[in-house]
């Protein structure tokens, strides 16, 4: 956008100033400015109101619109949040007055005043809501939830179909709102990991129906803007257009004799023009193991050179398609259900019966499509029919372990190798196994930055931080401290780190010790679970330091938890609740409310997997 002196009411000096600022404004800022000037043409300019917080209400007040809609998002790793933002922009472009807000910032008592509500929400844990959706989710399930007869809504639900409780949170919001009397504008859409097309189709449908509801005619111009993530210019790389990053370093951080393998991977981002902040993750598209693909093709008696035609891309050999494009190592009930129509094996049909849910659960865990091909013969399935049942291979996310300020052209990751044995066959994680066994310096890997606004250092670098992580969960804290060192941040920091053995598993030991020495890290407590008779984990160290932890929290510290979700994060959460209860002399309900309040203030953040 360039303003010219001719035909404008501004003098040359003003045009120069405007041309400096206009190209640097984000869409949200332009819209805000537009609304601000029309509402208060002579007012002073409160810059601080538009800077900072990710979650800002975007109001298109410049347009005399009566089409109001609220877009709420519940998001852990940022997907629902970025979709919701994109939708808000689209609706604004269609003259809707849009309020975009995180569920944790949403005023619960304003729910009954809303008329049109769109929700984008993911599912976490084992069918649980993301952290910032917990309160609204609980509120809707409670007796306090109001009657919502005037509300019209629709839900876009994000999830992963390999989880038993696929899109559970979206389903629960949908059912609950309907039970409270609200009406669906359009049916809920449940999206798998490859969510772009389904999400766009949902919005197109909802936008058309909203227009019909409000103005009596569906807007002829329901057209989606380009995904903000997708290529807007040739040199911008993204999830849909990954950058080929060269491997600079690939080292095993664990010492000889360790039970673990943890790779420190350094990649070059030179010329990628990719921006990231501590707390973001890197997505890597993996390839399936060639030997596994060959064994699967042989088992099903196909020709590996058979040409496979895929939507929107040139034909490929069956072997290449299975190596690069499709998931063959994760099983789910929906996948086995599709495959069941291509075998007469009664065993597979039996396994899929509702009464055999537990058996199915056990079968799915750790097995892959080669097991299925071997276990449920005879098959009458062609290669292309088989391919049509499969999901695209999803990218693996890794918490970034370096600061871009400290290493401008690089990104570092900390990758735990997954190895296990099931059914007498040794297996490894698709990417982590390849990373440990095959990836070499000089190779390239297709990567993109996955921004996570929900795991971020405090804006004020004087704010104290408490970082809790076990194993690879320590990765983002390396990025945090590199960043704080670069910034010369004065805020105190406390690291709780746990792993199995001091001698072999103290990841990045010398770096923490140097940071302790120079004061970038104020305190460190470690828990090596297998060095003592009684196992000691990070939560035990937290308990030992309860009094000081509580003081830090009371003094404004931000708490971070990263790493294993099932055990570590759950136990740490329970320990923190206990600490707050005991040290703050609170009831268990008050402790829960205290943590919820921290969450709302973005002072309790989790990056767990
Ligand atoms: C936001 C986010 C950040 C992450 N950050 C990191 C990080 O910093 N470092 C890191 O290492 N990982 C991280 N992960 C996890 C990472 O994305 C991958 O899930 C992990 O590396 C495994 O991928 P893979 O391709 O090696 O294994 P996959 O091929 O995906 O295999 C993993 C699967 O193997 C099965 N499995 C594993 N162990 C067993 C067993 N003993 N018995 C039976 N089955 C088993 C399970 O079904 C498991 O889901 C993160 C994930 C998320 C969502
Ligand atoms: C630790 C973890 C647990 C998950 N649990 C579920 C689940 O139970 N059901 C489901 O459908 N998806 C599950 N997912 C998948 C997420 O919902 C999916 O990745 C989604 O795109 C995340 O969106 P968000 O970034 O907005 O949180 C899980 C993902 C992670 C990392």
């Amino acid at each position: 956008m360039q303003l010219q002196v001719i035909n404008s009411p501004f003098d040359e000096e003003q045009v120069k100033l405007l041309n400096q600022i206009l190209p640097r404004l984000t869409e949200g800022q332009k819209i805000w400015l537009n609304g601000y000037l029309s509402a208060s043409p002579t007012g002073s300019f409160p810059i601080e109101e538009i800077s900072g917080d990710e979650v800002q209400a975007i109001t298109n007040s410049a347009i005399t619109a009566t089409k109001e809609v609220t877009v709420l998002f519940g998001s852990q790793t940022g997907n629902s949040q970025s979709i919701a933002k994109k939708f808000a922009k689209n609706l604004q472009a269609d003259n809707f007055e849009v309020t975009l807000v995180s569920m944790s910032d949403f005023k619960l008592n304003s729910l009954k005043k809303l008329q049109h509500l769109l929700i984008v929400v993911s599912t976490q844990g084992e069918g649980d809501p993301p952290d910032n959706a917990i309160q609204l989710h609980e509120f809707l399930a409670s007796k306090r939830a109001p009657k919502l007869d005037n509300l019209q809504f629709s839900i876009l639900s994000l999830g992963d179909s390999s989880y038993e409780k696929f899109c559970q949170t979206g389903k629960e919001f949908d059912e609950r709102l309907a039970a409270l009397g609200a009406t669906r504008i359009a049916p809920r859409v449940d999206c798998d990991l490859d969510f772009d097309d389904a999400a766009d189709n949902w919005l197109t449908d909802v936008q058309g129906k909203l227009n019909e509801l409000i103005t009596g005619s569906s807007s002829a111009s329901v057209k989606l803007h380009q995904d903000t993530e997708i290529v807007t210019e040739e040199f911008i790389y993204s999830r849909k257009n990954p950058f080929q990053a060269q491997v600079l370093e690939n080292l095993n951080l664990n010492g000889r004799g360790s039970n673990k393998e943890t790779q420190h991977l350094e990649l070059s981002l030179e010329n990628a023009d990719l921006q990231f902040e501590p707390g973001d993750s890197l997505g890597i598209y993996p390839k399936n193991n060639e030997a596994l693909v060959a064994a699967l093709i042989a088992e099903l008696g196909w020709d590996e050179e058979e040409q496979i035609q895929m939507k929107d891309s040139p034909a490929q050999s069956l072997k290449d398609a299975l190596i690069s494009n499709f998931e063959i190592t994760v099983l789910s009930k929906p996948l086995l259900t599709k495959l069941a129509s291509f075998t007469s094996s009664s065993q597979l049909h039996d396994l899929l019966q509702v009464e055999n849910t537990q058996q199915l659960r056990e079968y799915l865990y750790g097995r892959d499509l080669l097991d299925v091909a071997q276990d449920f013969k005879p098959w009458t399935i062609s290669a292309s029919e088989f391919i049509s049942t499969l999901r695209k291979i999803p990218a693996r996310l890794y918490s970034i372990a370096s600061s871009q300020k400290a290493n401008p052209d690089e990104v570092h990751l900390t990758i735990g190798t997954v190895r296990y044995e099931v059914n007498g066959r040794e297996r490894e994680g698709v990417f982590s196994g390849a990373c440990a066994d095959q990836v070499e310096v000089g190779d390239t890997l297709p990567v993109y930055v996955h921004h996570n606004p929900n795991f971020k250092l405090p804006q004020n670098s004087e704010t104290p931080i408490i970082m809790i992580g076990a194993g690879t969960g320590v990765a983002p804290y390396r990025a945090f401290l590199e960043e704080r060192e670069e910034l010369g941040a004065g805020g105190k920091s406390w690291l709780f780190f746990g792993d199995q053995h001091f001698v072999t598993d103290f990841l990045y030991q010398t770096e923490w010790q140097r940071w302790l020495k120079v004061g970038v890290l104020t305190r460190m407590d470690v828990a090596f679970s297998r060095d003592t008779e009684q196992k000691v984990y990070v939560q035990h160290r937290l308990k030992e330091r309860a009094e000081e932890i509580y003081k830090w929290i009371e003094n404004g510290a931000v708490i971070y938890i990263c790493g294993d979700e099932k055990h570590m994060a759950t136990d740490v959460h329970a320990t923190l609740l206990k600490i707050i209860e005991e040290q703050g002399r609170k009831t268990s309900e008050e402790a829960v409310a205290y943590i919820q309040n921290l969450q709302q203030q973005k002072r309790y953040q989790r990056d767990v997997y």
Side-chain angles (χ1 to χ4, degrees):
M1 186 196 305
Q2 281 289 315
L3 200 69
Q4 313 232 315
V5 182
I6 317 157
N7 293 336
S8 92
F10 304 110
D11 64 33
E12 213 170 306
E13 163 96 84
Q14 287 173 317
V15 166
K16 211 165 135 202
L17 281 170
L18 284 166
N19 279 335
Q20 273 172 17
I21 184 95
L22 287 175
R24 288 158 57 192
L25 297 181
T26 63
E27 280 314 303
Q29 287 169 335
K30 282 181 205 158
I31 288 159
W32 184 93
L33 187 61
N34 199 6
Y36 175 75
L37 290 177
S38 66
S40 166
T42 54
S44 62
F45 199 86
I47 294 232
E48 59 287 356
E49 278 186 35
I50 56 164
S51 63
D53 203 350
E54 262 295 302
V55 184
Q56 44 176 284
I58 302 178
T59 311
N60 197 356
S61 53
I63 298 155
T64 50
T66 51
K67 305 196 292 184
E68 281 179 30
V69 61
T70 297
V71 181
L72 271 182
F73 58 84
S75 184
Q76 193 75 33
T77 60
N79 289 333
S80 308
Q81 185 159 347
S82 63
I83 291 178
K85 269 188 172 178
K86 177 187 160 192
F87 287 176
K89 278 191 195 169
N90 267 292
L91 290 162
Q92 276 177 332
D94 194 14
N95 292 349
F96 278 88
E97 199 167 294
V98 186
T99 303
L100 170 69
V101 65
S102 158
M103 286 185 177
S104 61
D105 293 338
F106 182 67
K107 303 253 175 316
L108 299 177
N109 57 11
S110 62
L111 189 61
K112 56 178 179 293
K113 295 180 207 141
L114 297 184
Q115 263 191 301
H116 303 117
L117 173 66
L118 304 185
I119 287 183
V120 186
V121 67
S122 69
T123 300
Q124 296 295 316
E126 302 286 340
D128 305 319
D131 286 345
N132 64 1
I134 293 172
Q135 248 177 308
L136 181 62
H137 186 260
E138 278 178 8
F139 174 72
L140 286 176
S142 75
K143 293 222 160 58
R144 290 184 299 129
K147 278 260 150 240
L148 296 172
D149 297 333
N150 292 326
L151 182 70
Q152 291 173 311
F153 76 100
S154 188
I155 304 232
L156 183 74
S157 183
L158 261 60
D160 176 343
S161 64
S162 67
Y163 282 87
E164 198 175 322
K165 294 188 174 166
F166 176 51
C167 286
Q168 182 69 17
T169 303
K171 289 175 186 168
E172 286 168 3
F173 271 111
D174 194 33
E175 278 164 22
R176 195 62 195 139
L177 289 175
L180 292 168
T183 318
R184 292 183 184 88
I185 298 164
R188 184 191 75 245
V189 168
D190 295 334
C191 303
D192 210 342
L193 291 177
D194 182 19
F195 49 74
D196 297 85
D197 292 347
D200 284 351
N201 291 339
W202 172 80
L203 182 68
T204 309
D205 186 26
V206 168
Q207 196 169 331
K209 286 184 172 141
L210 265 174
N211 269 312
E212 249 171 51
L213 272 173
I214 300 171
T215 64
S217 77
S218 68
S219 161
S221 62
V222 175
K223 213 166 67 187
L224 288 172
H225 278 206
Q226 274 283 331
D227 187 332
T228 41
E229 253 212 355
I230 318 176
V231 211
T232 45
E233 292 185 51
E234 238 172 87
F235 52 83
I236 295 178
Y237 295 98
S238 67
R239 193 157 57 87
K240 288 204 164 174
N241 180 35
F243 174 69
Q244 292 293 335
Q246 198 172 54
V247 177
L248 301 173
E249 194 78 81
N250 186 10
L251 302 167
N252 181 1
L253 295 173
N254 298 97
R256 198 172 302 155
S258 172
N259 299 322
K260 295 199 167 181
E261 290 164 73
T262 314
Q263 298 301 124
H264 173 75
L265 186 69
E266 296 189 359
L267 302 173
S268 168
L269 294 184
E270 209 177 338
N271 302 325
D273 198 21
L274 284 172
Q275 305 298 320
F276 60 86
E277 288 177 27
D280 289 338
S281 303
L282 195 78
I284 303 185
Y285 285 102
K287 284 191 170 165
N288 285 310
N289 183 294
E290 288 191 27
L292 178 67
V293 168
L296 180 64
I297 293 175
E299 183 65 44
L300 289 161
W302 298 321
D303 171 7
E304 64 175 30
E305 292 308 323
E306 179 179 340
Q307 292 297 295
I308 299 291
Q309 184 62 58
M310 285 171 301
K311 200 177 146 225
D312 302 331
S313 52
Q316 244 185 331
S317 74
L318 173 64
K319 177 180 157 199
D320 289 346
L322 287 176
I323 289 175
S324 306
N325 295 319
F326 295 101
E327 183 172 75
I328 59 169
T329 54
V330 176
L331 302 180
S332 63
K333 188 172 183 184
L335 174 62
L336 292 200
T337 307
K338 281 190 232 164
L339 288 172
S341 50
F342 297 100
T343 174
S344 47
S345 157
S346 58
Q347 265 178 300
L348 179 54
H349 292 271
D350 288 349
L351 194 60
L352 292 166
Q353 299 306 309
V354 182
E355 63 272 20
N356 294 329
T357 301
Q358 183 52 28
Q359 264 171 282
L360 176 66
R361 206 173 279 142
E362 281 162 23
Y363 184 83
L364 296 178
Y365 186 58
R367 285 189 169 76
D368 58 28
L369 279 168
L370 178 57
D371 295 296
V372 176
Q374 289 167 339
D375 292 345
F376 304 114
K377 295 178 194 170
W379 292 96
T380 47
I381 187 167
S382 69
S384 55
E385 282 167 335
F386 181 76
I387 290 270
S388 71
T389 65
L390 305 183
R391 295 201 297 189
K392 273 191 196 162
I393 193 162
R396 271 44 173 183
L397 291 181
Y398 294 98
S399 313
I400 292 176
S402 57
S403 147
Q404 202 165 24
K405 287 197 177 63
N407 313 275
D409 287 328
E410 297 175 12
V411 61
H412 304 173
L413 307 173
T414 315
I415 300 175
T417 309
V418 174
R419 292 192 201 277
Y420 59 97
E421 195 208 294
V422 169
N423 215 12
R425 175 151 59 91
E426 299 282 343
R427 300 151 197 251
E428 73 263 350
V430 175
F431 183 72
S432 63
C435 182
D437 299 339
Q438 291 159 28
V439 171
E440 290 181 359
V441 171
D443 290 352
T444 57
L445 296 169
V447 306
Y448 64 93
V449 170
H450 179 95
H451 296 285
N452 184 358
N454 304 317
F455 201 76
K456 283 282 158 287
L457 274 170
Q459 290 210 328
N460 180 352
S461 60
E462 296 300 310
T463 305
I465 55 176
I466 300 172
M467 303 168 284
I468 307 160
T472 55
V474 83
Y477 306 143
R478 185 174 180 267
F480 281 12
L481 293 188
E482 276 193 0
E483 181 92 353
R484 279 201 150 187
E485 185 170 35
E486 282 299 308
L487 292 171
K492 292 198 293 178
S493 57
W494 192 346
L495 175 67
F496 286 86
F497 170 67
D499 214 316
Q500 291 188 352
H501 296 287
F502 172 83
V503 179
T504 53
D505 307 324
F506 198 166
L507 309 180
Y508 304 116
Q509 177 185 1
T510 53
E511 299 189 32
W512 311 120
Q513 283 167 341
R514 187 183 70 75
W515 278 320
L516 271 172
K517 214 162 147 189
V518 299
V520 172
L521 182 59
T522 318
R523 295 188 62 161
M524 178 165 60
D525 278 276
V526 289
F528 291 102
S529 59
R530 302 202 183 175
D531 280 348
T532 47
E533 217 171 290
Q534 201 110 40
K535 288 196 173 164
V536 180
Y537 297 110
V538 279
Q539 61 269 26
H540 298 117
R541 294 288 179 244
L542 284 167
K543 213 167 160 205
E544 286 163 17
R545 307 275 182 252
E547 196 182 331
E548 288 150 285
I549 293 276
Y550 188 68
K551 269 192 202 147
W552 275 55
I553 302 174
E554 283 284 282
N555 287 331
V558 180
I559 307 165
Y560 299 91
I561 303 176
C562 182
D564 172 68
E565 200 223 3
K566 268 196 196 111
H567 306 106
M568 190 272 305
T570 314
D571 292 348
V572 166
H573 182 82
T575 306
L576 285 169
L577 278 172
K578 248 312 106 328
I579 291 175
I580 291 161
E581 215 177 299
E582 286 170 10
Q583 299 296 319
R585 294 195 171 76
K586 296 184 194 306
T587 62
S588 53
E589 290 77 27
E590 285 168 345
V592 168
Y594 186 97
I595 289 238
Q596 277 177 350
N597 188 35
L598 291 180
Q599 235 154 21
Q600 222 157 5
Q601 295 173 35
K602 299 193 194 307
R603 286 181 49 209
Y604 181 77
Q605 303 185 19
R606 307 190 320 150
D607 179 21
V608 292
Y609 43 86

